[in-house]
Amino acid sequence: MLLEVEAINTFRGPAHILRGVTLSVDDNEVVSLVGRNGAGRTTIIESITGLLPVRSGHIRFRGEDITKLPPHKRAKRGIGYAPENSGIFPELTVAENLMISRWLSDKTARGAAGGVDAEAQAVMMIKGLGISLLLAESNLTSAAAIADRLYVIDRGEIIFQGTPKEALANESVMRTLRG
């Protein structure tokens, strides 16, 4: 397993945000975290990258416990974070970032002929480079189009894990995401 998050609890100040979150990402896999705004998606990412300390639980990357490592040491091991609209993927080389940017701008200029979703194609291109991705997404349909597996988070707890098809068929998941 590339990334294992085991029963982490994370706080923002006095607020207990993540409650026993467990998830995993395997080699060459795209996994989406799906949840409404404020559900805990960003807190999970920031816990994994070390931007927020976890109070309990463990985070392992390639079998190594990185729970207590500072963010810069996690980055050196290959963990990157590209916040929404940042336009870069820190785990890629400059050349790879430029290649993807050029490819995306070409698609946009042509109007993504055939109704092709540029974001989904970019994710598949990155996956094709052998890079695993953990994405935070509020829209289940968008996540289902690009993810191999997904986790649904609500109020700091994982309430579902499985395939996109299973999530779309799960009425409880759909009800939670609709609010």
Side-chain angles (χ1 to χ4, degrees):
M1 195 60 55
L2 179 67
L3 174 69
E4 297 171 279
V5 175
E6 182 183 325
I8 64 169
N9 287 279
T10 302
F11 290 68
R12 285 188 184 273
H16 190 178
I17 305 298
L18 300 182
R19 301 170 180 276
V21 168
T22 296
L23 62 84
S24 64
V25 179
D26 211 348
D27 287 317
N28 202 33
E29 183 176 44
V30 176
V31 175
S32 283
L33 291 171
V34 183
R36 297 180 307 184
N37 290 341
R41 297 181 322 246
T42 301
T43 303
I44 291 173
I45 301 291
E46 290 177 352
S47 297
I48 291 168
T49 59
L51 297 175
L52 278 176
V54 298
R55 289 260 181 105
S56 63
H58 296 280
I59 301 170
R60 284 184 287 286
F61 186 66
R62 295 191 167 121
E64 177 189 7
D65 190 329
I66 62 166
T67 310
K68 302 295 184 195
L69 284 182
H72 71 278
K73 289 190 177 179
R74 295 180 197 207
K76 283 184 178 182
R77 283 164 173 73
I79 295 176
Y81 177 37
E84 188 173 15
N85 299 323
S86 69
I88 63 162
F89 297 92
E91 61 277 1
L92 300 182
T93 66
V94 171
E96 289 167 335
N97 267 289
L98 290 172
M99 176 183 69
I100 288 171
S101 295
R102 185 174 345 118
W103 180 82
L104 286 172
S105 67
D106 287 348
K107 286 288 183 190
T108 302
R110 287 194 302 256
V116 173
D117 179 58
E119 179 184 348
Q121 287 190 7
V123 167
M124 291 304 117
M125 179 182 265
I126 293 165
K127 183 180 177 183
L129 295 170
I131 297 169
S132 298
L133 295 169
L134 177 62
L135 306 170
E137 176 62 64
S138 60
N139 184 295
L140 178 58
T141 305
S142 296
I146 57 177
D148 298 310
R149 289 186 306 114
L150 54 82
Y151 292 87
V152 177
I153 184 166
D154 186 46
R155 298 179 185 152
E157 296 180 3
I158 300 293
I159 62 165
F160 174 87
Q161 63 178 341
T163 67
K165 184 177 180 180
E166 293 166 340
L168 290 165
N170 186 311
E171 186 54 39
S172 175
V173 164
M174 299 304 289
R175 194 170 33 255
T176 299
L177 293 175
R178 281 193 297 263

